Amino acid sequence: MKQIICLHSLTPEQIQQLEEAAPGYEFIVKNKKDLSPELIQNAEVFLGWSKTIAETALQENSKLKWVQTWSAGVDTLPLERLREKGILLTNASGVHAIPLSESIFAMMLSFPRQIHAAVRNQMQNKWDSTLSAPGLTTLGEINGKTLVIAGVGEIGRETARLAKAFGMRVIGVRRSDKPEPNVDRMYTLDGLHEALGQADYIVNVLPLTNETRHIFNASAWNAAKNGVVFINVGRGPTVDTNALIEALNQGRIGGAALDVFEEEPLPAEHPLWSMEQVVITPHIAGDNDRYAERVIEIFTENLKAYVQGQKPPRNLVDYERMY
């Protein structure tokens, strides 16, 4: 019997849902550490991925035909080897739209309302109504401000919708300049610096590709409006960390909220930890209690097509673009 291996915990209801979508397939739900080489080699489909199974799963005699990742990003997968073997790859793009956009606004609102400064004062039993955190020295509001969203996919679209509800002007940056609802102007990546010059707030949700690696570098910060707030919930290596720190120290960036980093976990001695104008979260901005439900929804739709001999209709990764 053909086998599908899931590396993540599923409820009995979710397993039944998948079995009904793919009759004739055996579903195996196991931790990666509990998989024998024989099981890995015989699996036709993987739901989830791990470096520990890669070598065995990609051997010449393995039966692997399709990988559905549990994550939206695929930059850590062996893309070239998967492409060479003709393996279909789909990601979980779309599952993060609501939790990430809500995280973005939690981060964004903390700066004009100085919540991050108030929390630090609370830890010191300190009453200070001036809330004079470095970088942003007065209380303000986001209404009427300009938000630049770098990467207008599912997350960017939901972020733009929320921004409009807050009365913001929204500028988008992505590979295509095709218009989007709730985006006042769209630029291609070539126009990133022009867009940054108009931003009061920058949100980065770009995927990591050869084109976007270190796209937020010293030149980008020189092009940005002085005192801009930067929020990164995309990919750590899209940002040149040294250039970011320099811009923060010089006040060119008024504040930064960072969920992702070039090196994770962020080392305890890293200078970002001690910067009062920086908010740090440990790569959790997309986590929520409905994550598995949304991944299974995508996988089920793809699975129904796959067993009919069709390509998965949702989130098929383009190996050339790397997303």
Side-chain angles (χ1 to χ4, degrees):
M1 182 179 287
K2 296 179 179 180
Q3 294 176 336
I4 297 174
I5 293 180
C6 177
L7 300 178
H8 298 265
S9 298
L10 301 179
T11 65
E13 293 77 16
Q14 289 168 340
I15 294 173
Q16 181 180 351
Q17 178 180 332
L18 295 176
E19 288 176 340
E20 291 173 355
Y25 279 78
E26 178 186 6
F27 282 84
I28 300 170
V29 181
K30 279 185 177 290
N31 186 288
K32 60 189 177 184
K33 297 178 182 178
D34 299 327
L35 291 172
S36 67
E38 291 76 20
L39 275 177
I40 296 171
Q41 285 185 332
N42 286 329
E44 184 174 313
V45 179
F46 269 95
L47 173 54
W49 186 256
S50 168
K51 291 180 180 179
T52 61
I53 67 166
E55 198 58 42
T56 304
L58 294 175
Q59 287 180 3
E60 189 174 338
N61 60 344
S62 76
K63 296 180 180 179
L64 183 61
K65 294 183 180 179
W66 171 30
V67 175
Q68 167 72 59
T69 67
W70 200 258
S71 62
V74 296
D75 48 272
T76 60
L77 273 70
L79 298 180
E80 186 59 26
R81 293 186 65 189
L82 290 165
R83 184 191 65 80
E84 288 174 354
K85 287 183 65 66
I87 294 168
L88 296 169
L89 177 63
T90 51
N91 64 23
S93 179
V95 300
H96 299 100
I98 293 174
L100 267 177
S101 59
E102 290 183 359
S103 292
I104 287 166
F105 272 85
M107 294 170 170
M108 193 186 307
L109 289 164
S110 74
F111 289 100
R113 304 315 305 161
Q114 294 286 325
I115 302 300
H116 62 308
V119 169
R120 289 192 172 99
N121 286 345
Q122 179 184 347
M123 296 299 100
Q124 302 175 47
N125 300 342
K126 179 181 179 182
W127 182 280
D128 180 7
S129 60
T130 63
L131 293 175
S132 54
L136 299 168
T137 57
T138 59
L139 291 173
E141 56 189 45
I142 64 174
N143 182 275
K145 297 297 194 295
T146 296
L147 170 64
V148 169
I149 302 171
V152 187
E154 294 290 337
I155 300 164
R157 279 189 283 269
E158 179 64 11
T159 302
R161 186 187 70 82
L162 294 176
K164 280 300 178 183
F166 277 94
M168 302 186 81
R169 176 174 178 249
V170 180
I171 294 174
V173 181
R174 65 180 182 188
R175 181 183 292 270
S176 165
D177 61 358
K178 181 181 177 181
E180 284 281 355
N182 300 311
V183 177
D184 296 292
R185 181 170 181 183
M186 189 75 75
Y187 288 87
T188 64
L189 288 176
D190 290 339
L192 174 65
H193 288 191
E194 183 178 340
L196 296 184
Q198 304 169 61
D200 298 297
Y201 296 87
I202 302 166
V203 169
N204 175 35
V205 284
L206 286 168
L208 178 62
T209 68
N210 293 332
E211 191 176 13
T212 64
R213 185 177 294 274
H214 279 194
I215 196 169
F216 286 97
N217 52 26
S219 295
W221 303 131
N222 287 334
K225 185 187 294 187
N226 197 54
V228 69
V229 171
F230 176 64
I231 298 169
N232 189 16
V233 295
R235 284 291 179 263
T238 59
V239 177
D240 181 334
T241 305
N242 291 333
L244 174 66
I245 291 171
E246 182 178 357
L248 283 162
N249 282 329
Q250 294 177 353
R252 282 182 284 135
I253 299 175
L258 310 171
D259 185 61
V260 291
F261 305 86
E262 287 194 86
E263 182 181 359
E264 294 186 5
L266 189 67
E269 68 278 6
H270 201 282
L272 283 171
W273 285 114
S274 60
M275 303 183 84
E276 293 185 30
Q277 71 274 48
V278 174
V279 173
I280 291 173
T281 54
H283 206 145
I284 58 169
D287 292 354
N288 75 102
D289 57 358
R290 297 184 62 189
Y291 193 97
E293 171 190 332
R294 290 172 175 148
V295 174
I296 295 303
E297 178 186 340
I298 292 170
F299 184 52
T300 300
E301 184 176 341
N302 282 340
L303 187 58
K304 288 178 179 178
Y306 178 81
V307 298
Q308 296 297 322
Q310 303 167 11
K311 284 189 176 182
R314 292 185 64 176
N315 301 346
L316 186 62
V317 171
D318 182 331
Y319 284 114
E320 294 298 323
R321 292 186 174 185
M322 300 173 64
Y323 64 89

